[in-house]
Amino acid sequence: ISLLGIAVLAKAQSTTYHAFKIDLTFGYAIPPSNGDVSTNVKAGATVTIEPHYRITDALAVGFRFEGAGLGYADTNSGDNSSANISIIYSYCPSLEYYLLKGGFRPFIGAGAGIFDQGSISINNNTGGSTEYASIGSKFGFFPRAGFEAGHLRISAEYNILGNNSNYAAFALGFFFGGGRK
């Protein structure tokens, strides 16, 4: 938060692009397999809003707000199966470095912050009961790579939470502002 505050107060050094932009992306999340053959790993989805401030044409600081839902199903229990949906929200300062100027701009970046995690369990063995449990907050980080072309944004990142809740996300979206001056 301090880094973002300092960046906002500093004078923008970007000469080619507008200082502020907001990314809006939707993604496909892939949780890791837990090694249990009775559990089928199912994919999930992500939604991200990330405001950025360009310090220079090549460097931007941001703050990522992301929600991810990851699903698992236990199909080894016959007709009575169960499912678990892991809900993860993250609040992370981020940094991106753009490798090229121009219409096609590949970038690399990273971020670190708080990941809040909860779980929804659906169990058909107990008559279709549904339970929600908060797992708590963890510190995590993510490396990221992608590109922007015009106002289109495509990225891939791997979110590392330090437990079995790590996940890869592939996102497609667009951004408002931040284009050429």
Side-chain angles (χ1 to χ4, degrees):
I1 293 173
S2 298
L3 179 63
L4 186 60
I6 290 169
V8 169
L9 295 175
K11 182 181 176 194
Q13 300 298 314
S14 177
T15 58
T16 309
Y17 300 95
H18 291 282
F20 291 100
K21 74 179 189 113
I22 298 175
D23 299 341
L24 178 61
T25 61
F26 303 93
Y28 181 72
I30 303 171
S33 175
N34 64 2
D36 184 0
V37 294
S38 67
T39 302
N40 293 323
V41 175
K42 303 295 181 188
T46 65
V47 176
T48 306
I49 297 174
E50 187 170 359
H52 281 98
Y53 180 78
R54 293 187 197 276
I55 296 173
T56 67
D57 285 341
L59 189 63
V61 296
F63 198 86
R64 180 184 84 163
F65 301 94
E66 181 175 83
L70 310 171
Y72 302 87
D74 182 1
T75 58
N76 205 23
S77 50
D79 292 337
N80 297 325
S81 61
S82 62
N84 184 18
I85 301 170
S86 181
I87 307 295
I88 301 171
Y89 297 101
S90 62
Y91 317 96
C92 302
S94 63
L95 188 66
E96 290 182 350
Y97 181 76
Y98 292 86
L99 304 170
L100 298 174
K101 284 186 179 182
F104 177 78
R105 301 191 72 204
F107 63 86
I108 56 173
I114 302 298
F115 287 76
D116 288 330
Q117 186 175 2
S119 178
I120 299 172
S121 297
I122 303 167
N123 191 343
N124 287 334
N125 293 332
T126 59
S129 66
T130 303
E131 299 177 15
Y132 177 80
S134 176
I135 297 172
S137 298
K138 294 186 96 34
F139 180 80
F141 66 97
F142 60 93
R144 143 192 313 166
F147 69 88
E148 294 177 353
H151 282 266
L152 174 71
R153 180 179 173 90
I154 296 177
S155 65
E157 60 190 41
Y158 192 75
N159 296 273
I160 302 166
L161 282 66
N163 59 14
N164 284 338
S165 298
N166 300 343
Y167 64 96
F170 301 94
L172 172 66
F174 51 91
F175 61 91
F176 301 100
R180 288 187 171 276
K181 289 184 178 179

